[in-house]
Amino acid sequence: MSDVESRRSLVTGATGYIGGHLAALLVEQGQTVRAMARTPEKLDDAPWRDGAEVVRGDLGDPDSLTAAFDGVDVVYYLVHSMGTSRDFVSEEEKAAHNVVAAAEKAGVRRIVYLSGLHPKGELSRHLRSRNKVGEVLMASSVEAVVLQAGIVIGSGSASFEMVRHLTDRLPVMTTPKWVRNKIQPISIDDALYYLSEAADAPIPTSRTFDIGCPDVLEYADAMQIYAEEAGLRRRIIVALPLLTPSIASWWVGLVTPIPSGLARPLVESLEHDAVMSEHDIDDVIPPPPGGLTSYRDSVRRALEGDGTTGKGRRHLIRFSSTAPQ
């Protein structure tokens, strides 16, 4: 039996976008997968369900983690509290401490956490919380690999759906000034590749690694490229510097299916550039076979997966007001 096949991986947040895709990939690779969810019944129809063990667990309930973490080699931390708690920053820090305690008790070898790209200095609540969770994990006695990514491009990703719905529905739009900020996205396939490989990547110490596609572009450019790939005419975008995060998140909630509780922290995060500050990941994980996916190709793949290439999007994806658990 290979090392991959003998490894037992726990995927938290298995009902979420990243968690569900990662669980499917690990099952496909022949790994022993345990998928954790606050409501396990939500995974009954998952196409990979028969290839994984499903357990109940809530990161806010330390006692529920004992059995879920037992016998696990690698824990994938893919849970957030945005949209579910007024004080999600505090809730996420408590959850991180609960994960550390459970992992140390169970003898977990490594924790892999997906965080966000962020600049130095003052951060939004969302990015500040992600950063704090990473710090808690890296301060533990368990090896921690913290992957920091920007917006993930794939059908169903909240960040991508915000780009998609704004572009589909508004041929002419007045937008907040953050549409001129720089972003460095990553395709869902490349994000999953790095998450999978991070389980065994040789690292001398727990640390963060930035990951992203080769392209750095403005948020407005991301919408224009999406419009081109979706067969839409070029959008007219007028940036207004006085739109506050509150008004901007209301605007996003009005135009897209993203709940306001989730839209507000996402919008706040866009107040900053989100680009890679280092490429140290290349020293421990080689680029994906065939190389990293460009932003344009990532958009094309997302649309091809929906069958909407060249047609725009004609139906809405609905997001739950509860975070993946």
Side-chain angles (χ1 to χ4, degrees), residues 120-199:
K120 294 181 180 179
E122 186 66 24
L123 300 175
S124 68
R125 292 180 304 155
H126 167 47
L127 291 176
R128 187 168 69 249
S129 177
R130 292 289 176 94
N131 195 45
K132 182 61 178 179
V133 168
E135 290 176 350
V136 171
L137 299 179
M138 291 186 291
S140 75
S141 63
V142 181
E143 291 179 353
V145 175
V146 178
L147 300 176
Q148 300 184 145
I151 66 174
V152 176
I153 307 302
S155 179
S157 162
S159 298
F160 176 62
E161 293 304 331
M162 188 160 76
V163 171
R164 166 146 57 188
H165 285 85
L166 290 175
T167 311
D168 276 354
R169 302 189 68 181
L170 298 176
V172 179
M173 63 182 95
T174 54
T175 66
K177 62 182 180 180
W178 46 249
V179 297
R180 298 304 177 191
N181 286 350
K182 301 292 186 181
I183 60 172
Q184 189 166 7
I186 188 168
S187 75
I188 177 60
D189 291 338
D190 291 349
L192 295 174
Y193 166 79
Y194 281 121
L195 285 167
S196 174
E197 293 296 313

Side-chain angles (χ1 to χ4, degrees), residues 238-253:
V238 180
L240 299 180
L242 300 180
L243 283 182
T244 66
S246 294
I247 296 175
S249 59
W250 173 82
W251 171 69
V252 169

Side-chain angles (χ1 to χ4, degrees), residues 3-291:
D3 291 340
V4 169
E5 292 173 335
S6 63
R7 181 193 310 132
R8 183 182 296 275
S9 298
L10 173 68
V11 178
T12 68
T15 59
Y17 177 71
I18 299 291
H21 279 76
L22 180 63
L25 175 62
L26 300 182
V27 168
E28 181 182 334
Q29 292 176 344
Q31 293 196 37
T32 301
V33 178
R34 180 180 292 166
M36 192 184 87
R38 192 166 53 188
T39 309
E41 294 76 17
K42 290 184 178 180
L43 296 174
D44 287 348
D45 295 328
W48 47 266
R49 172 64 180 82
D50 292 340
E53 175 190 5
V54 174
V55 298
R56 181 193 173 278
D58 184 340
L59 298 191
D61 177 8
D63 292 339
S64 75
L65 303 182
T66 301
F69 280 56
D70 184 50
V72 167
D73 301 302
V74 177
V75 171
Y76 286 98
Y77 193 142
L78 303 172
V79 175
H80 65 76
S81 300
M82 288 191 308
T84 66
S85 171
R86 185 177 297 275
D87 187 13
F88 70 83
V89 176
S90 175
E91 292 297 319
E92 290 191 344
E93 183 176 354
K94 291 178 183 177
H97 284 290
N98 291 341
V99 166
V100 164
E104 290 177 338
K105 181 178 179 180
V108 170
R109 174 174 60 82
R110 178 170 291 185
I111 300 172
V112 179
Y113 174 58
L114 185 61
S115 185
L117 289 176
H118 58 82
K120 294 181 180 179
E122 186 66 24
L123 300 175
S124 68
R125 292 180 304 155
H126 167 47
L127 291 176
R128 187 168 69 249
S129 177
R130 292 289 176 94
N131 195 45
K132 182 61 178 179
V133 168
E135 290 176 350
V136 171
L137 299 179
M138 291 186 291
S140 75
S141 63
V142 181
E143 291 179 353
V145 175
V146 178
L147 300 176
Q148 300 184 145
I151 66 174
V152 176
I153 307 302
S155 179
S157 162
S159 298
F160 176 62
E161 293 304 331
M162 188 160 76
V163 171
R164 166 146 57 188
H165 285 85
L166 290 175
T167 311
D168 276 354
R169 302 189 68 181
L170 298 176
V172 179
M173 63 182 95
T174 54
T175 66
K177 62 182 180 180
W178 46 249
V179 297
R180 298 304 177 191
N181 286 350
K182 301 292 186 181
I183 60 172
Q184 189 166 7
I186 188 168
S187 75
I188 177 60
D189 291 338
D190 291 349
L192 295 174
Y193 166 79
Y194 281 121
L195 285 167
S196 174
E197 293 296 313
D200 293 317
I203 59 169
T205 186
S206 297
R207 59 159 293 180
T208 63
F209 294 92
D210 291 354
I211 58 175
C213 80
D215 306 316
V216 176
L217 61 162
E218 291 184 356
Y219 199 86
D221 294 332
M223 289 192 284
Q224 296 291 13
I225 291 172
Y226 168 83
E228 292 172 9
E229 292 301 319
L232 303 170
R233 69 175 183 270
R234 185 170 180 82
R235 275 23 197 162
I236 298 173
I237 300 173
V238 180
L240 299 180
L242 300 180
L243 283 182
T244 66
S246 294
I247 296 175
S249 59
W250 173 82
W251 171 69
V252 169
L254 181 67
V255 177
T256 78
I258 299 173
S260 59
L262 180 56
R264 176 64 184 261
L266 286 176
V267 165
E268 288 176 349
S269 298
L270 293 172
E271 293 290 325
H272 309 284
D273 290 341
V275 299
M276 296 174 65
S277 61
E278 44 84 5
H279 292 263
D280 294 352
I281 192 68
D282 295 338
D283 297 331
V284 294
I285 300 177

